[in-house]
Amino acid sequence: MHAFVVTTWDGEPGNLAPEEHDDVRWFLPSELARLTMADPGALPDILNAMTTEDGA
């Protein structure tokens, strides 16, 4: 599983590999717990990366 923390972006993300991904879009930290993730155990690390990057 891969997650990317993006702090600056221009435009909307697009799914350029639909055979590999169901969806590619922005998520708020509060939305992540409701997602079906390939590795649910990664959620704490993803949330930690998001709060570390934005200074929260």
Side-chain angles (χ1 to χ4, degrees):
M1 171 155 174
H2 300 281
F4 302 92
V5 175
V6 179
T7 58
T8 305
W9 186 273
D10 184 25
E12 290 296 318
N15 187 357
L16 302 179
E19 67 283 353
E20 295 180 18
H21 310 290
D22 293 331
D23 193 11
V24 175
R25 66 182 184 93
W26 303 123
F27 293 98
L28 295 172
S30 60
E31 297 174 300
L32 292 176
R34 294 188 300 263
L35 297 178
T36 301
M37 300 176 72
D39 181 5
L43 182 58
D45 291 331
I46 295 169
L47 291 171
N48 183 53
M50 293 175 84
T51 57
T52 301
E53 287 295 320
D54 71 10

mmCIF file of all heavy atoms in Angstrom:
data_model
loop_
_atom_site.group_PDB
_atom_site.id
_atom_site.type_symbol
_atom_site.label_atom_id
_atom_site.label_comp_id
_atom_site.label_asym_id
_atom_site.label_seq_id
_atom_site.Cartn_x
_atom_site.Cartn_y
_atom_site.Cartn_z
ATOM 1 N N MET A 1 0.835 -1.167 0.000
ATOM 2 C CA MET A 1 0.000 0.000 0.000
ATOM 3 C C MET A 1 0.884 1.234 0.000
ATOM 4 O O MET A 1 1.890 1.290 0.686
ATOM 5 C CB MET A 1 -0.878 -0.008 1.245
ATOM 6 C CG MET A 1 -1.619 1.248 1.434
ATOM 7 S SD MET A 1 -3.066 0.943 2.378
ATOM 8 C CE MET A 1 -3.608 2.576 2.564
ATOM 9 N N HIS A 2 0.479 2.217 -0.770
ATOM 10 C CA HIS A 2 1.214 3.478 -0.831
ATOM 11 C C HIS A 2 0.268 4.623 -0.497
ATOM 12 O O HIS A 2 -0.876 4.627 -0.923
ATOM 13 C CB HIS A 2 1.788 3.714 -2.233
ATOM 14 C CG HIS A 2 2.722 2.660 -2.667
ATOM 15 N ND1 HIS A 2 4.024 2.602 -2.239
ATOM 16 C CD2 HIS A 2 2.553 1.591 -3.469
ATOM 17 C CE1 HIS A 2 4.614 1.554 -2.778
ATOM 18 N NE2 HIS A 2 3.733 0.928 -3.521
ATOM 19 N N ALA A 3 0.754 5.556 0.263
ATOM 20 C CA ALA A 3 0.022 6.781 0.551
ATOM 21 C C ALA A 3 0.983 7.936 0.370
ATOM 22 O O ALA A 3 2.179 7.811 0.664
ATOM 23 C CB ALA A 3 -0.526 6.761 1.977
ATOM 24 N N PHE A 4 0.488 9.030 -0.132
ATOM 25 C CA PHE A 4 1.316 10.196 -0.382
ATOM 26 C C PHE A 4 0.743 11.379 0.366
ATOM 27 O O PHE A 4 -0.459 11.615 0.324
ATOM 28 C CB PHE A 4 1.363 10.518 -1.882
ATOM 29 C CG PHE A 4 1.889 9.380 -2.706
ATOM 30 C CD1 PHE A 4 1.027 8.446 -3.250
ATOM 31 C CD2 PHE A 4 3.245 9.240 -2.913
ATOM 32 C CE1 PHE A 4 1.509 7.388 -4.005
ATOM 33 C CE2 PHE A 4 3.741 8.191 -3.660
ATOM 34 C CZ PHE A 4 2.867 7.261 -4.209
ATOM 35 N N VAL A 5 1.588 12.108 1.061
ATOM 36 C CA VAL A 5 1.183 13.352 1.706
ATOM 37 C C VAL A 5 1.564 14.473 0.751
ATOM 38 O O VAL A 5 2.737 14.655 0.439
ATOM 39 C CB VAL A 5 1.872 13.532 3.078
ATOM 40 C CG1 VAL A 5 1.519 14.889 3.664
ATOM 41 C CG2 VAL A 5 1.474 12.410 4.022
ATOM 42 N N VAL A 6 0.549 15.182 0.269
ATOM 43 C CA VAL A 6 0.760 16.259 -0.697
ATOM 44 C C VAL A 6 0.442 17.574 -0.008
ATOM 45 O O VAL A 6 -0.636 17.750 0.545
ATOM 46 C CB VAL A 6 -0.150 16.065 -1.929
ATOM 47 C CG1 VAL A 6 0.039 17.192 -2.922
ATOM 48 C CG2 VAL A 6 0.128 14.716 -2.580
ATOM 49 N N THR A 7 1.389 18.487 -0.020
ATOM 50 C CA THR A 7 1.172 19.779 0.636
ATOM 51 C C THR A 7 0.866 20.892 -0.354
ATOM 52 O O THR A 7 0.346 21.925 0.031
ATOM 53 C CB THR A 7 2.398 20.163 1.489
ATOM 54 O OG1 THR A 7 3.550 20.204 0.648
ATOM 55 C CG2 THR A 7 2.609 19.145 2.612
ATOM 56 N N THR A 8 1.191 20.705 -1.624
ATOM 57 C CA THR A 8 0.909 21.695 -2.655
ATOM 58 C C THR A 8 0.525 20.969 -3.940
ATOM 59 O O THR A 8 1.189 20.008 -4.327
ATOM 60 C CB THR A 8 2.148 22.571 -2.937
ATOM 61 O OG1 THR A 8 2.591 23.156 -1.712
ATOM 62 C CG2 THR A 8 1.839 23.666 -3.931
ATOM 63 N N TRP A 9 -0.553 21.430 -4.584
ATOM 64 C CA TRP A 9 -1.000 20.789 -5.819
ATOM 65 C C TRP A 9 -1.792 21.793 -6.625
ATOM 66 O O TRP A 9 -2.495 22.628 -6.075
ATOM 67 C CB TRP A 9 -1.884 19.579 -5.491
ATOM 68 C CG TRP A 9 -2.262 18.781 -6.696
ATOM 69 C CD1 TRP A 9 -3.337 19.002 -7.520
ATOM 70 C CD2 TRP A 9 -1.583 17.670 -7.239
ATOM 71 N NE1 TRP A 9 -3.362 18.088 -8.527
ATOM 72 C CE2 TRP A 9 -2.284 17.247 -8.375
ATOM 73 C CE3 TRP A 9 -0.449 16.978 -6.877
ATOM 74 C CZ2 TRP A 9 -1.892 16.163 -9.150
ATOM 75 C CZ3 TRP A 9 -0.061 15.900 -7.649
ATOM 76 C CH2 TRP A 9 -0.769 15.502 -8.760
ATOM 77 N N ASP A 10 -1.701 21.694 -7.940
ATOM 78 C CA ASP A 10 -2.483 22.544 -8.840
ATOM 79 C C ASP A 10 -3.342 21.631 -9.693
ATOM 80 O O ASP A 10 -2.812 20.786 -10.419
ATOM 81 C CB ASP A 10 -1.543 23.387 -9.704
ATOM 82 C CG ASP A 10 -2.286 24.354 -10.602
ATOM 83 O OD1 ASP A 10 -3.430 24.732 -10.266
ATOM 84 O OD2 ASP A 10 -1.741 24.727 -11.646
ATOM 85 N N GLY A 11 -4.654 21.734 -9.604
ATOM 86 C CA GLY A 11 -5.553 20.906 -10.389
ATOM 87 C C GLY A 11 -6.124 19.756 -9.571
ATOM 88 O O GLY A 11 -5.986 19.707 -8.355
ATOM 89 N N GLU A 12 -6.773 18.827 -10.250
ATOM 90 C CA GLU A 12 -7.388 17.672 -9.612
ATOM 91 C C GLU A 12 -6.603 16.411 -9.964
ATOM 92 O O GLU A 12 -6.145 16.263 -11.092
ATOM 93 C CB GLU A 12 -8.835 17.508 -10.077
ATOM 94 C CG GLU A 12 -9.764 18.588 -9.554
ATOM 95 C CD GLU A 12 -9.891 18.546 -8.039
ATOM 96 O OE1 GLU A 12 -9.993 17.437 -7.478
ATOM 97 O OE2 GLU A 12 -9.878 19.626 -7.421
ATOM 98 N N PRO A 13 -6.466 15.480 -9.010
ATOM 99 C CA PRO A 13 -5.789 14.223 -9.323
ATOM 100 C C PRO A 13 -6.654 13.397 -10.273
ATOM 101 O O PRO A 13 -7.878 13.524 -10.286
ATOM 102 C CB PRO A 13 -5.651 13.538 -7.960
ATOM 103 C CG PRO A 13 -6.770 14.094 -7.150
ATOM 104 C CD PRO A 13 -6.962 15.502 -7.636
ATOM 105 N N GLY A 14 -6.016 12.569 -11.066
ATOM 106 C CA GLY A 14 -6.741 11.701 -11.992
ATOM 107 C C GLY A 14 -6.254 10.272 -11.874
ATOM 108 O O GLY A 14 -5.095 10.029 -11.545
ATOM 109 N N ASN A 15 -7.134 9.332 -12.128
ATOM 110 C CA ASN A 15 -6.776 7.916 -12.096
ATOM 111 C C ASN A 15 -6.245 7.513 -13.468
ATOM 112 O O ASN A 15 -7.012 7.204 -14.378
ATOM 113 C CB ASN A 15 -7.993 7.069 -11.716
ATOM 114 C CG ASN A 15 -7.638 5.625 -11.505
ATOM 115 O OD1 ASN A 15 -6.500 5.204 -11.695
ATOM 116 N ND2 ASN A 15 -8.611 4.829 -11.109
ATOM 117 N N LEU A 16 -4.948 7.527 -13.623
ATOM 118 C CA LEU A 16 -4.317 7.194 -14.896
ATOM 119 C C LEU A 16 -4.039 5.704 -15.037
ATOM 120 O O LEU A 16 -3.503 5.272 -16.057
ATOM 121 C CB LEU A 16 -3.031 8.008 -15.067
ATOM 122 C CG LEU A 16 -3.225 9.530 -15.019
ATOM 123 C CD1 LEU A 16 -1.890 10.242 -15.181
ATOM 124 C CD2 LEU A 16 -4.213 9.992 -16.069
ATOM 125 N N ALA A 17 -4.375 4.918 -14.014
ATOM 126 C CA ALA A 17 -4.187 3.464 -14.058
ATOM 127 C C ALA A 17 -5.440 2.794 -13.481
ATOM 128 O O ALA A 17 -5.399 2.186 -12.418
ATOM 129 C CB ALA A 17 -2.942 3.067 -13.294
ATOM 130 N N PRO A 18 -6.592 2.899 -14.185
ATOM 131 C CA PRO A 18 -7.831 2.354 -13.639
ATOM 132 C C PRO A 18 -7.808 0.841 -13.437
ATOM 133 O O PRO A 18 -8.575 0.321 -12.631
ATOM 134 C CB PRO A 18 -8.894 2.759 -14.668
ATOM 135 C CG PRO A 18 -8.140 3.053 -15.914
ATOM 136 C CD PRO A 18 -6.779 3.516 -15.485
ATOM 137 N N GLU A 19 -6.904 0.150 -14.103
ATOM 138 C CA GLU A 19 -6.780 -1.297 -13.894
ATOM 139 C C GLU A 19 -6.103 -1.615 -12.557
ATOM 140 O O GLU A 19 -6.197 -2.733 -12.060
ATOM 141 C CB GLU A 19 -6.011 -1.966 -15.047
ATOM 142 C CG GLU A 19 -4.555 -1.588 -15.166
ATOM 143 C CD GLU A 19 -4.266 -0.222 -15.774
ATOM 144 O OE1 GLU A 19 -5.192 0.463 -16.252
ATOM 145 O OE2 GLU A 19 -3.082 0.160 -15.768
ATOM 146 N N GLU A 20 -5.459 -0.622 -11.962
ATOM 147 C CA GLU A 20 -4.769 -0.806 -10.680
ATOM 148 C C GLU A 20 -5.483 -0.144 -9.505
ATOM 149 O O GLU A 20 -5.325 -0.570 -8.368
ATOM 150 C CB GLU A 20 -3.355 -0.227 -10.757
ATOM 151 C CG GLU A 20 -2.446 -0.942 -11.725
ATOM 152 C CD GLU A 20 -1.062 -0.328 -11.767
ATOM 153 O OE1 GLU A 20 -0.696 0.409 -10.826
ATOM 154 O OE2 GLU A 20 -0.352 -0.561 -12.753
ATOM 155 N N HIS A 21 -6.250 0.918 -9.757
ATOM 156 C CA HIS A 21 -6.833 1.717 -8.678
ATOM 157 C C HIS A 21 -8.327 1.882 -8.885
ATOM 158 O O HIS A 21 -8.777 2.164 -9.989
ATOM 159 C CB HIS A 21 -6.191 3.113 -8.633
ATOM 160 C CG HIS A 21 -4.704 3.080 -8.633
ATOM 161 N ND1 HIS A 21 -3.961 2.637 -7.558
ATOM 162 C CD2 HIS A 21 -3.805 3.406 -9.599
ATOM 163 C CE1 HIS A 21 -2.676 2.711 -7.849
ATOM 164 N NE2 HIS A 21 -2.546 3.170 -9.081
ATOM 165 N N ASP A 22 -9.095 1.741 -7.797
ATOM 166 C CA ASP A 22 -10.525 2.003 -7.864
ATOM 167 C C ASP A 22 -10.806 3.491 -7.966
ATOM 168 O O ASP A 22 -11.729 3.922 -8.645
ATOM 169 C CB ASP A 22 -11.242 1.458 -6.623
ATOM 170 C CG ASP A 22 -11.212 -0.053 -6.554
ATOM 171 O OD1 ASP A 22 -11.163 -0.706 -7.610
ATOM 172 O OD2 ASP A 22 -11.234 -0.580 -5.429
ATOM 173 N N ASP A 23 -9.999 4.287 -7.266
ATOM 174 C CA ASP A 23 -10.258 5.716 -7.186
ATOM 175 C C ASP A 23 -8.970 6.429 -6.779
ATOM 176 O O ASP A 23 -8.154 5.877 -6.049
ATOM 177 C CB ASP A 23 -11.347 5.974 -6.134
ATOM 178 C CG ASP A 23 -11.922 7.368 -6.177
ATOM 179 O OD1 ASP A 23 -11.654 8.115 -7.134
ATOM 180 O OD2 ASP A 23 -12.659 7.711 -5.238
ATOM 181 N N VAL A 24 -8.783 7.620 -7.265
ATOM 182 C CA VAL A 24 -7.685 8.486 -6.847
ATOM 183 C C VAL A 24 -8.297 9.843 -6.564
ATOM 184 O O VAL A 24 -8.898 10.458 -7.453
ATOM 185 C CB VAL A 24 -6.597 8.609 -7.942
ATOM 186 C CG1 VAL A 24 -5.529 9.608 -7.531
ATOM 187 C CG2 VAL A 24 -5.984 7.259 -8.255
ATOM 188 N N ARG A 25 -8.220 10.272 -5.306
ATOM 189 C CA ARG A 25 -8.775 11.573 -4.954
ATOM 190 C C ARG A 25 -8.190 12.035 -3.635
ATOM 191 O O ARG A 25 -7.486 11.300 -2.968
ATOM 192 C CB ARG A 25 -10.299 11.542 -4.881
ATOM 193 C CG ARG A 25 -10.869 10.691 -3.774
ATOM 194 C CD ARG A 25 -12.404 10.700 -3.841
ATOM 195 N NE ARG A 25 -13.000 9.976 -2.760
ATOM 196 C CZ ARG A 25 -13.382 10.521 -1.606
ATOM 197 N NH1 ARG A 25 -13.205 11.804 -1.385
ATOM 198 N NH2 ARG A 25 -13.938 9.791 -0.676
ATOM 199 N N TRP A 26 -8.518 13.279 -3.256
ATOM 200 C CA TRP A 26 -8.067 13.851 -2.001
ATOM 201 C C TRP A 26 -8.945 13.337 -0.867
ATOM 202 O O TRP A 26 -10.140 13.144 -1.024
ATOM 203 C CB TRP A 26 -8.161 15.378 -2.024
ATOM 204 C CG TRP A 26 -7.405 16.017 -3.137
ATOM 205 C CD1 TRP A 26 -7.920 16.852 -4.077
ATOM 206 C CD2 TRP A 26 -6.016 15.897 -3.422
ATOM 207 N NE1 TRP A 26 -6.924 17.251 -4.939
ATOM 208 C CE2 TRP A 26 -5.746 16.671 -4.563
ATOM 209 C CE3 TRP A 26 -4.965 15.193 -2.848
ATOM 210 C CZ2 TRP A 26 -4.480 16.783 -5.119
ATOM 211 C CZ3 TRP A 26 -3.706 15.296 -3.412
ATOM 212 C CH2 TRP A 26 -3.474 16.083 -4.521
ATOM 213 N N PHE A 27 -8.326 13.163 0.304
ATOM 214 C CA PHE A 27 -9.049 12.770 1.505
ATOM 215 C C PHE A 27 -8.612 13.643 2.669
ATOM 216 O O PHE A 27 -7.429 13.935 2.814
ATOM 217 C CB PHE A 27 -8.750 11.311 1.890
ATOM 218 C CG PHE A 27 -9.279 10.317 0.906
ATOM 219 C CD1 PHE A 27 -8.459 9.777 -0.060
ATOM 220 C CD2 PHE A 27 -10.605 9.930 0.958
ATOM 221 C CE1 PHE A 27 -8.940 8.871 -0.970
ATOM 222 C CE2 PHE A 27 -11.102 9.011 0.049
ATOM 223 C CZ PHE A 27 -10.273 8.482 -0.921
ATOM 224 N N LEU A 28 -9.563 14.000 3.486
ATOM 225 C CA LEU A 28 -9.254 14.663 4.754
ATOM 226 C C LEU A 28 -8.925 13.575 5.775
ATOM 227 O O LEU A 28 -9.419 12.440 5.658
ATOM 228 C CB LEU A 28 -10.454 15.465 5.245
ATOM 229 C CG LEU A 28 -10.871 16.636 4.367
ATOM 230 C CD1 LEU A 28 -12.190 17.223 4.860
ATOM 231 C CD2 LEU A 28 -9.778 17.691 4.354
ATOM 232 N N PRO A 29 -8.123 13.871 6.769
ATOM 233 C CA PRO A 29 -7.820 12.863 7.785
ATOM 234 C C PRO A 29 -9.081 12.245 8.395
ATOM 235 O O PRO A 29 -9.139 11.043 8.639
ATOM 236 C CB PRO A 29 -7.013 13.630 8.831
ATOM 237 C CG PRO A 29 -6.360 14.735 8.056
ATOM 238 C CD PRO A 29 -7.378 15.119 7.004
ATOM 239 N N SER A 30 -10.109 13.043 8.597
ATOM 240 C CA SER A 30 -11.345 12.534 9.202
ATOM 241 C C SER A 30 -12.095 11.559 8.304
ATOM 242 O O SER A 30 -12.932 10.799 8.779
ATOM 243 C CB SER A 30 -12.262 13.705 9.560
ATOM 244 O OG SER A 30 -12.594 14.446 8.389
ATOM 245 N N GLU A 31 -11.804 11.525 7.015
ATOM 246 C CA GLU A 31 -12.474 10.620 6.083
ATOM 247 C C GLU A 31 -11.795 9.253 5.975
ATOM 248 O O GLU A 31 -12.414 8.296 5.522
ATOM 249 C CB GLU A 31 -12.524 11.240 4.685
ATOM 250 C CG GLU A 31 -13.314 12.517 4.599
ATOM 251 C CD GLU A 31 -13.214 13.144 3.233
ATOM 252 O OE1 GLU A 31 -12.085 13.472 2.805
ATOM 253 O OE2 GLU A 31 -14.260 13.283 2.594
ATOM 254 N N LEU A 32 -10.544 9.152 6.377
ATOM 255 C CA LEU A 32 -9.774 7.932 6.142
ATOM 256 C C LEU A 32 -10.312 6.709 6.867
ATOM 257 O O LEU A 32 -10.265 5.604 6.332
ATOM 258 C CB LEU A 32 -8.307 8.154 6.511
ATOM 259 C CG LEU A 32 -7.563 9.126 5.608
ATOM 260 C CD1 LEU A 32 -6.151 9.336 6.127
ATOM 261 C CD2 LEU A 32 -7.533 8.635 4.176
ATOM 262 N N ALA A 33 -10.833 6.853 8.055
ATOM 263 C CA ALA A 33 -11.308 5.702 8.821
ATOM 264 C C ALA A 33 -12.489 5.016 8.149
ATOM 265 O O ALA A 33 -12.724 3.826 8.373
ATOM 266 C CB ALA A 33 -11.673 6.127 10.236
ATOM 267 N N ARG A 34 -13.213 5.712 7.283
ATOM 268 C CA ARG A 34 -14.371 5.130 6.598
ATOM 269 C C ARG A 34 -14.000 4.414 5.305
ATOM 270 O O ARG A 34 -14.852 3.799 4.673
ATOM 271 C CB ARG A 34 -15.396 6.219 6.304
ATOM 272 C CG ARG A 34 -16.006 6.807 7.569
ATOM 273 C CD ARG A 34 -17.152 7.751 7.252
ATOM 274 N NE ARG A 34 -16.746 8.881 6.420
ATOM 275 C CZ ARG A 34 -16.438 10.090 6.881
ATOM 276 N NH1 ARG A 34 -16.462 10.320 8.174
ATOM 277 N NH2 ARG A 34 -16.103 11.044 6.061
ATOM 278 N N LEU A 35 -12.749 4.486 4.892
ATOM 279 C CA LEU A 35 -12.330 3.847 3.637
ATOM 280 C C LEU A 35 -12.053 2.362 3.822
ATOM 281 O O LEU A 35 -11.646 1.923 4.895
ATOM 282 C CB LEU A 35 -11.055 4.504 3.113
ATOM 283 C CG LEU A 35 -11.130 5.977 2.739
ATOM 284 C CD1 LEU A 35 -9.758 6.457 2.298
ATOM 285 C CD2 LEU A 35 -12.144 6.195 1.640
ATOM 286 N N THR A 36 -12.254 1.595 2.756
ATOM 287 C CA THR A 36 -11.810 0.212 2.733
ATOM 288 C C THR A 36 -10.379 0.240 2.208
ATOM 289 O O THR A 36 -10.145 0.564 1.046
ATOM 290 C CB THR A 36 -12.693 -0.643 1.798
ATOM 291 O OG1 THR A 36 -14.039 -0.569 2.262
ATOM 292 C CG2 THR A 36 -12.217 -2.077 1.776
ATOM 293 N N MET A 37 -9.435 -0.057 3.083
ATOM 294 C CA MET A 37 -8.022 0.041 2.725
ATOM 295 C C MET A 37 -7.428 -1.340 2.511
ATOM 296 O O MET A 37 -7.837 -2.307 3.161
ATOM 297 C CB MET A 37 -7.269 0.799 3.821
ATOM 298 C CG MET A 37 -7.794 2.209 4.019
ATOM 299 S SD MET A 37 -7.009 3.070 5.383
ATOM 300 C CE MET A 37 -5.402 3.373 4.703
ATOM 301 N N ALA A 38 -6.465 -1.439 1.629
ATOM 302 C CA ALA A 38 -5.782 -2.713 1.386
ATOM 303 C C ALA A 38 -5.089 -3.194 2.656
ATOM 304 O O ALA A 38 -5.040 -4.391 2.920
ATOM 305 C CB ALA A 38 -4.776 -2.559 0.247
ATOM 306 N N ASP A 39 -4.566 -2.272 3.439
ATOM 307 C CA ASP A 39 -3.894 -2.605 4.694
ATOM 308 C C ASP A 39 -4.422 -1.685 5.784
ATOM 309 O O ASP A 39 -3.854 -0.624 6.040
ATOM 310 C CB ASP A 39 -2.383 -2.454 4.548
ATOM 311 C CG ASP A 39 -1.628 -2.801 5.820
ATOM 312 O OD1 ASP A 39 -2.268 -3.250 6.803
ATOM 313 O OD2 ASP A 39 -0.410 -2.619 5.837
ATOM 314 N N PRO A 40 -5.525 -2.066 6.444
ATOM 315 C CA PRO A 40 -6.096 -1.208 7.483
ATOM 316 C C PRO A 40 -5.113 -0.890 8.613
ATOM 317 O O PRO A 40 -5.231 0.150 9.259
ATOM 318 C CB PRO A 40 -7.280 -2.011 8.020
ATOM 319 C CG PRO A 40 -7.605 -2.993 6.950
ATOM 320 C CD PRO A 40 -6.311 -3.278 6.247
ATOM 321 N N GLY A 41 -4.126 -1.742 8.828
ATOM 322 C CA GLY A 41 -3.135 -1.490 9.861
ATOM 323 C C GLY A 41 -2.244 -0.304 9.567
ATOM 324 O O GLY A 41 -1.540 0.197 10.456
ATOM 325 N N ALA A 42 -2.270 0.188 8.322
ATOM 326 C CA ALA A 42 -1.447 1.332 7.943
ATOM 327 C C ALA A 42 -2.083 2.665 8.343
ATOM 328 O O ALA A 42 -1.415 3.696 8.316
ATOM 329 C CB ALA A 42 -1.194 1.327 6.431
ATOM 330 N N LEU A 43 -3.357 2.649 8.720
ATOM 331 C CA LEU A 43 -4.056 3.897 9.019
ATOM 332 C C LEU A 43 -3.355 4.760 10.069
ATOM 333 O O LEU A 43 -3.174 5.963 9.846
ATOM 334 C CB LEU A 43 -5.504 3.615 9.431
ATOM 335 C CG LEU A 43 -6.355 4.844 9.723
ATOM 336 C CD1 LEU A 43 -6.416 5.782 8.523
ATOM 337 C CD2 LEU A 43 -7.753 4.425 10.149
ATOM 338 N N PRO A 44 -2.912 4.214 11.203
ATOM 339 C CA PRO A 44 -2.224 5.079 12.181
ATOM 340 C C PRO A 44 -0.973 5.760 11.604
ATOM 341 O O PRO A 44 -0.716 6.933 11.882
ATOM 342 C CB PRO A 44 -1.848 4.128 13.314
ATOM 343 C CG PRO A 44 -2.841 3.010 13.213
ATOM 344 C CD PRO A 44 -3.096 2.868 11.736
ATOM 345 N N ASP A 45 -0.218 5.049 10.783
ATOM 346 C CA ASP A 45 0.983 5.644 10.184
ATOM 347 C C ASP A 45 0.621 6.743 9.187
ATOM 348 O O ASP A 45 1.293 7.771 9.111
ATOM 349 C CB ASP A 45 1.821 4.574 9.486
ATOM 350 C CG ASP A 45 2.453 3.616 10.468
ATOM 351 O OD1 ASP A 45 2.727 4.018 11.619
ATOM 352 O OD2 ASP A 45 2.664 2.442 10.092
ATOM 353 N N ILE A 46 -0.429 6.520 8.414
ATOM 354 C CA ILE A 46 -0.869 7.538 7.456
ATOM 355 C C ILE A 46 -1.336 8.787 8.188
ATOM 356 O O ILE A 46 -0.967 9.919 7.826
ATOM 357 C CB ILE A 46 -1.980 6.983 6.534
ATOM 358 C CG1 ILE A 46 -1.414 5.855 5.655
ATOM 359 C CG2 ILE A 46 -2.594 8.082 5.684
ATOM 360 C CD1 ILE A 46 -2.467 5.066 4.919
ATOM 361 N N LEU A 47 -2.161 8.614 9.218
ATOM 362 C CA LEU A 47 -2.630 9.762 9.991
ATOM 363 C C LEU A 47 -1.467 10.497 10.659
ATOM 364 O O LEU A 47 -1.448 11.735 10.687
ATOM 365 C CB LEU A 47 -3.650 9.316 11.032
ATOM 366 C CG LEU A 47 -4.988 8.844 10.477
ATOM 367 C CD1 LEU A 47 -5.830 8.226 11.577
ATOM 368 C CD2 LEU A 47 -5.714 9.987 9.786
ATOM 369 N N ASN A 48 -0.503 9.758 11.161
ATOM 370 C CA ASN A 48 0.672 10.377 11.767
ATOM 371 C C ASN A 48 1.443 11.203 10.738
ATOM 372 O O ASN A 48 1.885 12.314 11.021
ATOM 373 C CB ASN A 48 1.569 9.316 12.398
ATOM 374 C CG ASN A 48 2.750 9.936 13.099
ATOM 375 O OD1 ASN A 48 2.589 10.819 13.927
ATOM 376 N ND2 ASN A 48 3.943 9.464 12.783
ATOM 377 N N ALA A 49 1.617 10.674 9.540
ATOM 378 C CA ALA A 49 2.327 11.410 8.482
ATOM 379 C C ALA A 49 1.584 12.684 8.123
ATOM 380 O O ALA A 49 2.194 13.723 7.882
ATOM 381 C CB ALA A 49 2.512 10.529 7.248
ATOM 382 N N MET A 50 0.256 12.615 8.105
ATOM 383 C CA MET A 50 -0.534 13.798 7.737
ATOM 384 C C MET A 50 -0.408 14.880 8.809
ATOM 385 O O MET A 50 -0.266 16.057 8.476
ATOM 386 C CB MET A 50 -1.990 13.406 7.537
ATOM 387 C CG MET A 50 -2.184 12.505 6.333
ATOM 388 S SD MET A 50 -3.874 11.927 6.185
ATOM 389 C CE MET A 50 -4.595 13.317 5.337
ATOM 390 N N THR A 51 -0.452 14.518 10.056
ATOM 391 C CA THR A 51 -0.351 15.528 11.104
ATOM 392 C C THR A 51 1.076 16.040 11.237
ATOM 393 O O THR A 51 1.289 17.189 11.583
ATOM 394 C CB THR A 51 -0.856 14.997 12.463
ATOM 395 O OG1 THR A 51 -0.136 13.839 12.816
ATOM 396 C CG2 THR A 51 -2.341 14.690 12.412
ATOM 397 N N THR A 52 2.051 15.202 10.938
ATOM 398 C CA THR A 52 3.453 15.632 10.989
ATOM 399 C C THR A 52 3.747 16.637 9.880
ATOM 400 O O THR A 52 4.402 17.639 10.100
ATOM 401 C CB THR A 52 4.395 14.424 10.859
ATOM 402 O OG1 THR A 52 4.123 13.516 11.928
ATOM 403 C CG2 THR A 52 5.844 14.839 10.912
ATOM 404 N N GLU A 53 3.245 16.387 8.682
ATOM 405 C CA GLU A 53 3.516 17.249 7.542
ATOM 406 C C GLU A 53 2.854 18.619 7.667
ATOM 407 O O GLU A 53 3.413 19.605 7.286
ATOM 408 C CB GLU A 53 3.050 16.580 6.237
ATOM 409 C CG GLU A 53 3.933 15.438 5.810
ATOM 410 C CD GLU A 53 5.346 15.887 5.455
ATOM 411 O OE1 GLU A 53 5.502 16.949 4.825
ATOM 412 O OE2 GLU A 53 6.280 15.182 5.821
ATOM 413 N N ASP A 54 1.624 18.669 8.206
ATOM 414 C CA ASP A 54 0.941 19.955 8.250
ATOM 415 C C ASP A 54 1.190 20.717 9.539
ATOM 416 O O ASP A 54 0.637 21.793 9.735
ATOM 417 C CB ASP A 54 -0.558 19.799 7.979
ATOM 418 C CG ASP A 54 -1.318 19.125 9.109
ATOM 419 O OD1 ASP A 54 -0.773 18.926 10.207
ATOM 420 O OD2 ASP A 54 -2.496 18.805 8.891
ATOM 421 N N GLY A 55 1.987 20.140 10.422
ATOM 422 C CA GLY A 55 2.339 20.839 11.643
ATOM 423 C C GLY A 55 1.319 20.763 12.751
ATOM 424 O O GLY A 55 1.445 21.445 13.751
ATOM 425 N N ALA A 56 0.267 19.970 12.548
ATOM 426 C CA ALA A 56 -0.786 19.875 13.577
ATOM 427 C C ALA A 56 -0.299 19.135 14.796
ATOM 428 O O ALA A 56 0.643 18.409 14.771
ATOM 429 C CB ALA A 56 -2.005 19.186 12.993
#
